[in-house]
Amino acid sequence: MARIAFIGLGNMGGGMAANLAKAGHDVRAFDLSADALDKAKQAGCLPAEDANTAILGAEAVITMLPAGRHVEAVYTDAILHHADAGAVLIDCSTIDVATARRVAEAAAAHGLAAVDAPVSGGIAAANAGTLTFMVGGSEAAFSRAEPFLSDMGKAVIHAGTSGAGQGAKICNNMMLGATMIATCESFALAEKLGLDLQKLYDIASVSSGQSWSITSYCPVPGVGPETPADRDYQGGFAAALMLKDLKLALEAAASVDAETPMAARAEELYEKFANGEGATLDFSGIIKMLKG
């Protein structure tokens, strides 16, 4: 088993670090939150007083942070100067492609292997160790990162060179944001037409309207498997995070002159929802706004 530094113990990172400890690794964890550090300790991790202390002697350094600026700051201020020469650097945050590539280049300049490995699956999957990782980086760096990622997930996919993991995550969530809105609109229309929503689910889930938003994350309470809709849209994947990912997608699209009209409209709708009643709700709760 390996010594691992884990920086960023929020809703996702806490569960991920716990699974690494459960797998038998020596996890040195750091977060600015004392409560997060206490939970990590209870899960079998060793809390570190700062990022530098966590990094020393680690074979892998994993970061799970809110945005690109946080990732770049911890790399610049701590990781690049204190990581062992043989360590592999794994950033699991969801950030912009340009920053991911810049961080990888900086790591390479210091002789360190680095990958961007954003996740899909949400808090429940982070806690259960069933995340999907989309990984960008060299074949060699991917090979070194894969065993650690496998201890936290059900699927680890090499998407391509540095930044490709972030690109794949952005494209994936752009699809999710748009399909969830379409799904919510369909159920809202069906309700107004007097249709039985369970019957619509039974039809759409096995026909051409089928999508993950219906079969795995139905936005209607009491229909399909249990989802945040059954908990009044509490927990799950926050609307604010979906908005963040859509903004990243539009930023990426603009950088390569790609047309993304559906993503643009989805971003507008999630902006309205996240800044209103959806501020603390799961992203599927946008059905409440669409129903009016």
Side-chain angles (χ1 to χ4, degrees), residues 68 71-72 75 80 89 91 95 98-108 114:
V71 173
E72 197 155 25
Y75 266 70
L80 298 181
L89 313 182
D91 179 40
I95 63 175
T99 298
R101 288 174 175 164
R102 198 160 55 242
V103 164
E105 290 170 1

Side-chain angles (χ1 to χ4, degrees), residues 198 201 212 214-230:
Q198 179 64 52
Y201 173 88
W212 185 90
I214 292 177
T215 54
S216 297
Y217 219 81
C218 186
V220 179
V223 176
E226 183 180 347
T227 68
D230 299 301

